[in-house]
Amino acid sequence: MDAYDVIVIGGGPAGYVAAIRCAQLGMSTALVDEYIGKSGKPALGGTCLNAGCIPSKALLDSSEHYDRVRNKYASHGIKTAEIDLDIPTMIGRKDKIVSTLTKGVEGLMKKNKVTWLKGHGQLEAGMKVGVIPTGGKGDKQVYQAKHIIIATGSAPRTLANISIDHERIVDSTGALDFQEVPAKLGVIGAGVIGLELGSVWGRLGAEVVVLEAMDDFLAMADGEIAKAALKEFKRQGLDIHLGTRVKKAEADADGVTVEYEDAKGGHTLRVDKLVVAVGRVPHTEGLNANGIDLFIDESGYIHVDEFGSTNVPDIYAIGDVVRGPMLAHKGSEEGVMVAERLAGKKTRVNHDTIPWVIYTWPEIAWVGKTEEDLKQEGRSYACGTFPMRASGRALAMEETVGLVKVIADAETDEILGVHIFGAAASELIAEAVVAMEYQASAEDLACIVHAHPTVSEAVHEAALDVHRRAIHK
Ligand code: FAD
Ligand code: NAD
């Protein structure tokens, strides 16, 4: 029986990063993964590279280019002749980016001497992992491990009253592969996926109707930012309905009929395609967790402590399959932490400074506490804000929608949260993460020189505004 120091189950951003770090630290490492890519062949990178972060951002970028040409270039004095859309080419570009990256991960495995065991991994007693080869190629192989890291990720949450037929009614994976722009697109769930993929198809010309169950829009974001974002997304044409209850959705040859209720009563909506994006659930199917008494909590997550240890000695879990936000970078950092702790280091992950980004345009990004969190905690705080329309660079770019908000402790001035709705928010938030990691005060951020003209000056001004010292507001 082949034996390894570490066997990682799951080759997404949590698992493959953990495997690389283990190998870098001198441990013999195998990575078990069963993902079959769009080409029909095994592909590393998990949800993120194959059907998540990367393909969605490729399409967001393409659709943003199209939107700029159609709606934004004229004011710059750039005139365009008639423009045309070639969706298969756009989808092909996205697929090429995905395969470049998944092959890149395969190359990293080879370079780091991580053995890729292609197949379905199962936990077995005595620190063994059974691997059922992909595509029924041979019998189950069993491997011995000193340590096992579980990184089996998550899967889309389904609704009992709506069946995904992968044609008319799709999940996020299906919504990345439409071959033409649906004239009318329904989206259930105004969360991250609903907004990102709704934006993609909306920019490309679809009429997009979003049905959200909650009364509040983007409840996890800061309320002031969510309010500004809702206003802007509605202006962009996303028809967002809050406080809805979808009763049923049925597909036929021409489209989908959705029945839902809201405070005004019952409604029927007819769409060409329907995307169900109502969250994701941890994936442990077929892992044989029960067989080795691995504790899974009531929500389906593998229970871990702050260092990723499960209740079974020498078995760890990381990424979407454990508590915390389902974000690629969170899983990767947990992977590095577990690998380094196996090598005797004292690495930890600060879950309080994990940045969130929603890749709409403008983007939404934040780190730390919202005003609502702090009110609930009864903590006293001070806020500084700065509108993008007062930033010279944002004006020059004609990207004046949005704001930056810095929240600091009223007594110590330590930054507790930074919230951005605006152009390049995904890049700007990194400065806030660094500041918070170093427990900077709003004053510290305010004292740092920011280049002019840059959008980052808006972060500087919002920090100054905590003490009502903003210059350009
Ligand atoms: P996964 O990426 O889900 O990987 C798990 C892997 O394990 C898969 O390959 C699976 O096939 C394999 N596996 C499972 N069980 C077994 C088994 N028993 N044996 C063998 N293999 C197994 N996050 C961001 O941070 N930024 C984004 O922009 C972003 N965009 C997203 C867009 C979409 C449309 C979606 C759906 C998600 C997005 N996410 C984003 C979330 C991100 O994809 C996940 O947080 C991330 O992929 C989780 O990584 P993971 O390694 O824990 O799991
Ligand atoms: P989500 O949790 O962000 O949003 C789901 C939304 O669906 C919520 O607003 C919820 O209230 C709503 N909902 C739930 N049940 C409903 C129902 N029956 N009818 C109507 N609305 C309903 O989940 P998601 O958008 O599916 O994305 C899943 C996860 O994937 C995200 O939470 C995030 O962790 C990850 N993700 C991250 C990014 C990013 O980092 N940019 C992008 C996409 C996905």
Side-chain angles (χ1 to χ4, degrees):
M1 188 191 313
D2 284 347
Y4 294 92
D5 291 328
V6 183
I7 298 183
V8 182
I9 307 178
Y16 86 73
V17 169
I20 290 175
R21 193 69 190 117
C22 285
Q24 283 177 344
L25 290 163
M27 293 172 255
S28 62
T29 308
L31 177 65
V32 187
D33 190 80
E34 64 182 350
Y35 199 96
I36 301 296
K38 199 179 159 189
S39 66
K41 296 195 181 116
L44 289 171
T47 306
C48 179
L49 268 63
N50 289 284
C53 327
I54 298 300
S56 60
K57 266 80 252 177
L59 291 184
L60 276 155
D61 209 56
S62 295
S63 63
E64 180 56 26
H65 281 300
Y66 181 68
D67 185 59
R68 274 168 204 256
V69 177
R70 264 202 340 167
N71 300 317
K72 297 181 181 164
Y73 278 5
S75 66
H76 289 263
I78 302 169
K79 291 190 177 154
T80 45
E82 227 169 75
I83 57 163
D84 210 357
L85 254 186
D86 175 355
I87 297 294
T89 298
M90 196 179 281
I91 297 289
R93 186 191 87 98
K94 178 260 298 174
D95 291 341
K96 197 157 169 257
I97 293 165
V98 167
S99 69
T100 302
L101 284 174
T102 56
K103 286 201 183 92
V105 174
E106 201 176 326
L108 288 173
M109 293 302 122
K110 284 193 188 119
K111 182 177 162 248
N112 287 285
K113 300 190 172 50
V114 173
T115 308
W116 176 13
L117 304 170
K118 295 178 188 130
H120 179 82
Q122 274 178 352
L123 299 164
E124 298 193 359
M127 292 298 288
K128 293 188 184 66
V129 174
V131 179
I132 303 161
T134 300
K137 288 183 191 146
D139 297 333
K140 177 165 92 171
Q141 302 292 311
V142 179
Y143 302 88
Q144 184 73 52
K146 284 190 192 143
H147 308 280
I148 296 171
I149 303 176
I150 304 168
T152 47
S154 63
R157 190 164 83 81
T158 52
L159 293 175
N161 52 350
I162 300 179
S163 64
I164 306 282
D165 66 8
H166 302 288
E167 268 297 319
R168 294 272 171 196
I169 306 181
V170 299
D171 57 19
S172 56
T173 305
L176 293 168
D177 269 323
F178 293 154
Q179 290 300 312
E180 56 183 23
V181 181
K184 192 161 181 175
L185 177 69
V187 179
I188 304 184
V192 194
I193 293 179
L195 291 174
E196 289 188 358
L197 295 180
S199 295
V200 165
W201 295 107
R203 288 171 196 160
L204 296 176
E207 182 187 344
V208 181
V209 182
V210 186
L211 302 178
E212 164 61 44
M214 304 259 285
D215 292 329
D216 291 331
F217 178 67
L218 278 182
M220 74 273 210
D222 183 88
E224 193 175 355
I225 298 285
K227 194 171 159 209
L230 180 62
K231 187 173 165 209
E232 171 61 14
F233 298 154
K234 284 190 168 174
R235 192 200 63 76
Q236 290 176 8
L238 291 184
D239 185 9
I240 300 170
H241 298 252
L242 301 174
T244 63
R245 182 173 295 269
V246 177
K247 308 299 279 182
K248 66 175 180 183
E250 271 172 9
D252 55 48
D254 306 320
V256 184
T257 303
V258 184
E259 287 179 20
Y260 70 96
E261 285 173 359
D262 61 16
K264 291 183 199 140
H267 307 268
T268 302
L269 173 73
R270 182 79 182 155
V271 293
D272 298 284
K273 300 260 190 193
L274 180 69
V275 183
V276 180
V278 293
R280 294 179 64 84
V281 289
H283 177 84
T284 51
E285 211 180 295
L287 190 62
N288 189 33
N290 286 343
I292 62 151
D293 288 332
L294 180 70
F295 180 51
I296 293 189
D297 72 20
E298 63 281 2
S299 307
Y301 292 96
I302 296 177
H303 185 81
V304 288
D305 67 9
E306 66 176 304
F307 302 123
S309 298
T310 68
N311 65 311
V312 181
D314 299 315
I315 300 190
Y316 304 82
I318 54 175
D320 280 11
V321 79
V322 303
R323 47 80 191 110
M326 289 186 170
L327 297 174
H329 42 284
K330 173 260 189 188
S332 297
E333 292 308 320
E334 287 177 339
V336 169
M337 172 184 70
V338 169
E340 295 193 347
R341 293 187 82 86
L342 289 179
K345 296 177 190 283
K346 300 285 178 223
T347 314
R348 53 200 315 148
V349 172
N350 183 359
H351 283 94
D352 293 335
T353 53
I354 292 171
W356 269 89
V357 179
I358 305 179
Y359 294 83
T360 46
W361 196 264
E363 294 169 337
I364 302 171
W366 72 90
V367 56
K369 308 262 187 194
T370 62
E371 250 198 279
E372 291 72 25
D373 293 335
L374 294 167
K375 276 188 190 136
Q376 210 167 28
E377 289 173 17
R379 207 158 160 183
S380 54
Y381 60 88
C383 284
T385 59
F386 192 76
M388 287 297 181
R389 65 174 183 279
S391 150
R393 184 64 194 275
L395 195 66
M397 291 161 67
E398 224 171 303
E399 295 291 356
T400 52
V401 173
L403 71 155
V404 178
K405 177 171 182 173
V406 174
I407 311 178
D409 187 284
E411 278 163 35
T412 65
D413 198 36
E414 182 179 344
I415 299 170
L416 303 174
V418 176
H419 305 268
I420 307 174
F421 176 47
S426 59
E427 304 294 340
L428 295 180
I429 202 65
E431 176 182 17
V433 178
V434 173
M436 286 183 65
E437 267 299 317
Y438 285 90
Q439 294 183 298
S441 61
E443 172 84 18
D444 288 330
L445 203 52
C447 288
I448 293 170
V449 182
H450 289 69
H452 177 74
T454 60
V455 187
S456 73
E457 288 171 296
V459 178
H460 187 218
E461 291 270 12
L464 283 164
D465 191 49
V466 171
H467 302 293
R468 304 294 171 259
R469 290 169 46 205
I471 302 292
H472 295 95
K473 191 170 158 181

PDB file of all heavy atoms in Angstrom, residues 32-44:
ATOM      1  N   VAL A  32      -6.224  14.029  -3.804  1.00  0.00           N
ATOM      2  CA  VAL A  32      -7.289  13.252  -4.443  1.00  0.00           C
ATOM      3  C   VAL A  32      -8.324  14.231  -4.973  1.00  0.00           C
ATOM      4  O   VAL A  32      -8.812  15.082  -4.217  1.00  0.00           O
ATOM      5  CB  VAL A  32      -7.993  12.327  -3.408  1.00  0.00           C
ATOM      6  CG1 VAL A  32      -8.975  11.396  -4.115  1.00  0.00           C
ATOM      7  CG2 VAL A  32      -6.987  11.547  -2.595  1.00  0.00           C
ATOM      8  N   ASP A  33      -8.640  14.153  -6.242  1.00  0.00           N
ATOM      9  CA  ASP A  33      -9.703  15.036  -6.763  1.00  0.00           C
ATOM     10  C   ASP A  33     -10.459  14.339  -7.875  1.00  0.00           C
ATOM     11  O   ASP A  33      -9.875  13.634  -8.700  1.00  0.00           O
ATOM     12  CB  ASP A  33      -9.138  16.364  -7.273  1.00  0.00           C
ATOM     13  CG  ASP A  33     -10.266  17.339  -7.572  1.00  0.00           C
ATOM     14  OD1 ASP A  33     -10.783  17.956  -6.620  1.00  0.00           O
ATOM     15  OD2 ASP A  33     -10.676  17.453  -8.747  1.00  0.00           O
ATOM     16  N   GLU A  34     -11.776  14.574  -7.892  1.00  0.00           N
ATOM     17  CA  GLU A  34     -12.639  13.882  -8.848  1.00  0.00           C
ATOM     18  C   GLU A  34     -13.295  14.813  -9.871  1.00  0.00           C
ATOM     19  O   GLU A  34     -14.115  14.383 -10.666  1.00  0.00           O
ATOM     20  CB  GLU A  34     -13.752  13.145  -8.091  1.00  0.00           C
ATOM     21  CG  GLU A  34     -14.700  14.062  -7.348  1.00  0.00           C
ATOM     22  CD  GLU A  34     -15.779  13.317  -6.564  1.00  0.00           C
ATOM     23  OE1 GLU A  34     -15.919  12.097  -6.735  1.00  0.00           O
ATOM     24  OE2 GLU A  34     -16.482  13.973  -5.773  1.00  0.00           O
ATOM     25  N   TYR A  35     -12.934  16.119  -9.839  1.00  0.00           N
ATOM     26  CA  TYR A  35     -13.656  17.074 -10.696  1.00  0.00           C
ATOM     27  C   TYR A  35     -13.447  16.754 -12.183  1.00  0.00           C
ATOM     28  O   TYR A  35     -12.338  16.515 -12.634  1.00  0.00           O
ATOM     29  CB  TYR A  35     -13.184  18.508 -10.419  1.00  0.00           C
ATOM     30  CG  TYR A  35     -14.176  19.544 -10.900  1.00  0.00           C
ATOM     31  CD1 TYR A  35     -15.103  20.102 -10.025  1.00  0.00           C
ATOM     32  CD2 TYR A  35     -14.215  19.947 -12.236  1.00  0.00           C
ATOM     33  CE1 TYR A  35     -16.031  21.033 -10.462  1.00  0.00           C
ATOM     34  CE2 TYR A  35     -15.138  20.874 -12.685  1.00  0.00           C
ATOM     35  CZ  TYR A  35     -16.052  21.420 -11.783  1.00  0.00           C
ATOM     36  OH  TYR A  35     -16.971  22.341 -12.218  1.00  0.00           O
ATOM     37  N   ILE A  36     -14.533  16.740 -12.931  1.00  0.00           N
ATOM     38  CA  ILE A  36     -14.436  16.574 -14.381  1.00  0.00           C
ATOM     39  C   ILE A  36     -14.739  17.931 -15.016  1.00  0.00           C
ATOM     40  O   ILE A  36     -15.817  18.494 -14.826  1.00  0.00           O
ATOM     41  CB  ILE A  36     -15.447  15.509 -14.893  1.00  0.00           C
ATOM     42  CG1 ILE A  36     -15.197  14.151 -14.218  1.00  0.00           C
ATOM     43  CG2 ILE A  36     -15.384  15.377 -16.421  1.00  0.00           C
ATOM     44  CD1 ILE A  36     -13.856  13.496 -14.526  1.00  0.00           C
ATOM     45  N   GLY A  37     -13.770  18.470 -15.735  1.00  0.00           N
ATOM     46  CA  GLY A  37     -13.904  19.796 -16.339  1.00  0.00           C
ATOM     47  C   GLY A  37     -14.859  19.783 -17.528  1.00  0.00           C
ATOM     48  O   GLY A  37     -15.361  18.738 -17.935  1.00  0.00           O
ATOM     49  N   LYS A  38     -15.064  20.967 -18.082  1.00  0.00           N
ATOM     50  CA  LYS A  38     -16.033  21.097 -19.182  1.00  0.00           C
ATOM     51  C   LYS A  38     -15.629  20.262 -20.401  1.00  0.00           C
ATOM     52  O   LYS A  38     -16.471  19.813 -21.168  1.00  0.00           O
ATOM     53  CB  LYS A  38     -16.129  22.583 -19.559  1.00  0.00           C
ATOM     54  CG  LYS A  38     -17.389  22.918 -20.335  1.00  0.00           C
ATOM     55  CD  LYS A  38     -17.460  24.399 -20.655  1.00  0.00           C
ATOM     56  CE  LYS A  38     -18.402  24.609 -21.829  1.00  0.00           C
ATOM     57  NZ  LYS A  38     -18.361  25.983 -22.333  1.00  0.00           N
ATOM     58  N   SER A  39     -14.324  20.015 -20.549  1.00  0.00           N
ATOM     59  CA  SER A  39     -13.841  19.233 -21.689  1.00  0.00           C
ATOM     60  C   SER A  39     -14.107  17.737 -21.500  1.00  0.00           C
ATOM     61  O   SER A  39     -13.827  16.937 -22.394  1.00  0.00           O
ATOM     62  CB  SER A  39     -12.337  19.448 -21.851  1.00  0.00           C
ATOM     63  OG  SER A  39     -11.681  18.893 -20.710  1.00  0.00           O
ATOM     64  N   GLY A  40     -14.612  17.356 -20.314  1.00  0.00           N
ATOM     65  CA  GLY A  40     -14.864  15.937 -20.037  1.00  0.00           C
ATOM     66  C   GLY A  40     -13.683  15.222 -19.400  1.00  0.00           C
ATOM     67  O   GLY A  40     -13.746  14.029 -19.124  1.00  0.00           O
ATOM     68  N   LYS A  41     -12.597  15.970 -19.185  1.00  0.00           N
ATOM     69  CA  LYS A  41     -11.388  15.371 -18.577  1.00  0.00           C
ATOM     70  C   LYS A  41     -11.222  15.865 -17.137  1.00  0.00           C
ATOM     71  O   LYS A  41     -11.675  16.963 -16.804  1.00  0.00           O
ATOM     72  CB  LYS A  41     -10.155  15.773 -19.378  1.00  0.00           C
ATOM     73  CG  LYS A  41     -10.164  15.231 -20.797  1.00  0.00           C
ATOM     74  CD  LYS A  41      -8.770  15.340 -21.390  1.00  0.00           C
ATOM     75  CE  LYS A  41      -8.791  14.821 -22.816  1.00  0.00           C
ATOM     76  NZ  LYS A  41      -8.489  15.832 -23.799  1.00  0.00           N
ATOM     77  N   PRO A  42     -10.519  15.072 -16.295  1.00  0.00           N
ATOM     78  CA  PRO A  42     -10.273  15.537 -14.934  1.00  0.00           C
ATOM     79  C   PRO A  42      -9.559  16.891 -14.939  1.00  0.00           C
ATOM     80  O   PRO A  42      -8.677  17.125 -15.778  1.00  0.00           O
ATOM     81  CB  PRO A  42      -9.361  14.451 -14.346  1.00  0.00           C
ATOM     82  CG  PRO A  42      -9.665  13.228 -15.144  1.00  0.00           C
ATOM     83  CD  PRO A  42      -9.959  13.718 -16.537  1.00  0.00           C
ATOM     84  N   ALA A  43      -9.962  17.767 -14.037  1.00  0.00           N
ATOM     85  CA  ALA A  43      -9.358  19.107 -13.967  1.00  0.00           C
ATOM     86  C   ALA A  43      -9.211  19.525 -12.526  1.00  0.00           C
ATOM     87  O   ALA A  43     -10.136  19.360 -11.733  1.00  0.00           O
ATOM     88  CB  ALA A  43     -10.239  20.112 -14.711  1.00  0.00           C
ATOM     89  N   LEU A  44      -8.046  20.067 -12.190  1.00  0.00           N
ATOM     90  CA  LEU A  44      -7.830  20.560 -10.828  1.00  0.00           C
ATOM     91  C   LEU A  44      -8.376  21.994 -10.692  1.00  0.00           C
ATOM     92  O   LEU A  44      -8.750  22.618 -11.681  1.00  0.00           O
ATOM     93  CB  LEU A  44      -6.332  20.505 -10.492  1.00  0.00           C
ATOM     94  CG  LEU A  44      -5.788  19.079 -10.296  1.00  0.00           C
ATOM     95  CD1 LEU A  44      -4.267  19.091 -10.190  1.00  0.00           C
ATOM     96  CD2 LEU A  44      -6.400  18.438  -9.048  1.00  0.00           C
TER      97      LEU A  44
END
